Amino acid sequence: MTNYITSLLQKIENKTITVGVIGLGYVGLPLAVEFGKKYKVIGFDINTRRVEELKKGEDKTLEVEPEELKEARHLIYSYDKEELRAVDVFIVTVPTPVDDFKIPDLTPLIKASETVGTVIKPGAVVVYESTVYPGCTEEDCLPVVEKQSGLKLNTDFFAGYSPERINPGDKEHRVSTIKKVTSGSTSEVAKVVDELYKSVIKAGTHVVSSIKVAEASKVIENTQRDINIAFVNELSMLFNKMGIDTVEVLEAAGTKWNFLPFRPGLVGGHCIGVDPYYLTHKAVNIGYHPEIILAGRRINDGMGAFIASQFVKLLIKDGCKVAGSKVLVLGITFKENCPDIRNSKVIDIITELKEFGCSVDVCDPLADPAEVQHEYGIDLTLCENLALADYEGIVLAVGHNQFKQLDIASLRAKNVIIYDVKSLFDKQHVNERL
């Protein structure tokens, strides 16, 4: 084992190490690009279309600019797993979704582990970044690598876990500017993993004692945010009944130095809206019933229906006939300035409005129309063709920068009902804010 570790450390120092990134999505691509500026990197994805786009210098996730893709001079893209046989350190960055019953779906992780197992060589390291419950890497993933490869962990190959830390659509907090947690299957391997990441992460690294600690640190990051958002969402529902503007309350409370600046809203995406279920799944399996985490999930999962019902009440108060009312929903991605539509909770608003009988159009300048049709069965309306004043009401669901340019005041003057989920506009120009 010592010879393997020494060899890996020397390769990092000499910049001769080969890194393989499995999965080139929102997490994998920025990481592969960063490593590719310094080391030979093989970026692998089973999506041939995605690989071909990247070969042309196009990133449809908008996370990496074309100029930055060019800077990764040592990065090649491939969907041929045979090219991974030369890899010294594998980094797995595949999605970890939940199924319809909120149970963790480890299929992408298991398949990625099988891929690694078929090509891994003695002395190599496999590092997982995908968000999982504590114990998943060692209990579910690494046995697959062992079985597929015939190699033994910590004798023939090694492992680590370094939780992904990205914020889709955020051009300030990038992979290299966010401190990275690292860990290894042994203390010696942890040093290898840490040295590798430390060489490209400008913000530095934080080594922990075990893979389980690293896994736990990641899953609670998003669970904590989920619970805090659930709290302000509950406040929003309470203050709505009391006729108090929630945003104004939060701004007033925020004048105290230690008040946390969370805002109410939809909680979707592939992180905050999903990760808590990984923790609760593990908790239930070991005989512990988590109460606060699940309560937060119930509140946040119900916000789409709440927003739709509040909007319908506004229609009724304005004398509109709900059934057949033309309603425009602005935005369907899971967050602002990001094209990612996975697990978007805007669909809950749309579904609820349709159940009330509303005729709903959806516009989003960043979402891919084909992806929206495939995922949700919705044909997007082209934003440039919209006649906003023809709608009885508009639900501003996502705070894209493009929507900030809307002349909301003139729409209100034409009696268009505006529900501002993201509080983009002053309260005097909208009917209601969340």
Side-chain angles (χ1 to χ4, degrees):
M1 182 178 84
T2 303
N3 290 339
Y4 286 140
I5 299 300
T6 301
S7 174
L8 288 167
L9 289 171
Q10 286 176 344
K11 285 184 175 182
I12 294 171
E13 184 178 354
N14 298 333
K15 299 183 179 63
T16 57
I17 200 161
T18 300
V19 177
V21 178
I22 314 296
L24 297 174
Y26 285 83
V27 176
L29 179 63
L31 192 68
V33 167
E34 207 58 46
F35 277 119
K37 296 173 183 177
K38 195 167 190 175
Y39 307 109
K40 180 180 179 181
V41 176
I42 300 170
F44 175 85
D45 203 295
I46 60 173
N47 185 334
T48 56
R49 180 182 170 188
R50 171 70 168 159
V51 171
E52 292 302 331
E53 287 171 352
L54 290 172
K55 284 181 177 180
K56 296 175 185 176
E58 303 170 5
D59 172 27
K60 295 233 172 142
T61 69
L62 306 182
E63 287 301 298
V64 182
E65 299 295 333
E67 296 75 21
E68 196 172 9
L69 287 175
K70 293 177 182 177
E71 289 177 23
R73 296 180 296 106
H74 309 295
L75 168 60
I76 63 171
Y77 306 102
S78 178
Y79 41 79
D80 180 5
K81 66 180 181 181
E82 290 302 310
E83 294 195 48
L84 296 171
R85 292 190 180 278
V87 167
D88 298 300
V89 178
F90 295 88
I91 301 178
V92 178
T93 62
V94 296
T96 45
V98 294
D99 63 20
D100 293 340
F101 302 100
K102 310 301 184 185
I103 304 298
D105 179 4
L106 299 181
T107 303
L109 263 184
I110 298 304
K111 288 189 176 298
S113 298
E114 289 173 347
T115 296
V116 171
T118 60
V119 295
I120 193 170
K121 63 185 179 182
V125 179
V126 53
V127 180
Y128 290 86
E129 287 212 2
S130 308
T131 304
V132 291
Y133 47 77
C136 181
T137 299
E138 293 159 301
E139 297 164 12
D140 298 288
C141 301
L142 294 176
V144 174
V145 178
E146 286 186 314
K147 180 179 179 181
Q148 200 73 32
S149 66
L151 303 178
K152 186 172 177 56
L153 178 65
N154 292 332
T155 299
D156 306 311
F157 78 101
F158 312 96
Y161 184 84
S162 180
E164 55 92 355
R165 276 183 169 171
I166 62 148
N167 189 24
D170 188 339
K171 299 304 180 183
E172 179 182 354
H173 301 98
R174 309 296 302 279
V175 63
S176 65
T177 62
I178 305 172
K179 182 168 281 193
K180 205 83 163 65
V181 173
T182 62
S183 65
S185 51
T186 70
S187 58
E188 293 83 6
V189 178
K191 180 173 175 56
V192 172
V193 175
D194 191 63
E195 287 296 323
L196 180 63
Y197 278 102
K198 192 185 296 181
S199 68
V200 297
I201 304 297
K202 299 173 186 174
T205 57
H206 178 88
V207 190
V208 295
S209 62
S210 69
I211 287 175
K212 283 185 179 179
V213 169
E215 291 169 324
S217 74
K218 172 55 185 175
V219 77
I220 71 163
E221 287 177 18
N222 289 331
T223 301
Q224 182 189 62
R225 286 182 55 78
D226 192 43
I227 292 169
N228 277 295
I229 297 170
F231 173 61
V232 293
N233 274 339
E234 189 165 53
L235 290 179
S236 177
M237 290 186 279
L238 171 62
F239 293 148
N240 177 270
K241 286 185 173 294
M242 300 173 70
I244 301 173
D245 185 78
T246 305
V247 174
E248 189 175 357
V249 172
L250 294 174
E251 287 174 347
T255 60
K256 191 180 181 198
W257 78 91
N258 59 353
F259 185 82
L260 300 177
F262 287 93
R263 291 292 183 95
L266 298 169
V267 183
H270 49 96
C271 292
I272 301 177
V274 172
D275 296 351
Y277 288 118
Y278 274 75
L279 189 56
T280 58
H281 171 76
K282 185 66 174 182
V284 171
N285 279 353
I286 62 174
Y288 180 80
H289 179 70
E291 297 186 31
I292 292 177
I293 300 171
L294 288 174
R297 281 282 74 233
R298 283 193 296 272
I299 291 171
N300 287 339
D301 277 348
M303 289 308 293
F306 171 76
I307 291 166
S309 67
Q310 293 304 110
F311 179 77
V312 166
K313 288 178 183 178
L314 292 175
L315 288 176
I316 294 170
K317 287 179 182 177
D318 202 52
C320 296
K321 183 182 177 182
V322 176
S325 287
K326 287 187 64 180
V327 178
L328 175 65
V329 174
L330 292 175
I332 197 171
T333 63
F334 89 91
K335 67 176 293 188
E336 64 275 5
N337 306 318
C338 171
D340 194 349
I341 65 169
R342 287 178 295 171
N343 195 36
S344 172
K345 292 302 178 183
V346 178
I347 191 64
D348 295 347
I349 299 176
I350 297 167
T351 301
E352 195 76 7
L353 288 174
K354 286 182 176 179
E355 289 183 1
F356 275 110
C358 297
S359 173
V360 183
D361 287 341
V362 184
C363 164
D364 193 310
L366 295 185
D368 184 316
E371 287 183 8
V372 174
Q373 170 55 231
H374 179 267
E375 188 71 19
Y376 300 116
I378 293 173
D379 293 317
L380 289 181
T381 300
L382 294 176
C383 296
E384 54 267 28
N385 295 341
L386 288 174
L388 298 179
D390 291 344
Y391 291 93
E392 273 79 31
I394 296 175
V395 179
L396 180 62
V398 185
H400 294 319
N401 286 337
Q402 292 92 325
F403 296 151
K404 295 177 182 178
Q405 312 306 317
L406 293 176
D407 188 355
I408 292 295
S410 68
L411 290 173
R412 284 296 301 121
K414 295 175 182 177
N415 295 320
V416 178
I417 294 169
I418 310 291
Y419 191 108
D420 188 357
V421 175
K422 298 297 294 183
S423 297
L424 279 190
F425 299 99
D426 191 281
K427 65 179 180 180
Q428 68 182 5
H429 296 312
V430 301
N431 293 80
E432 194 167 315
R433 302 191 295 186
L434 182 59

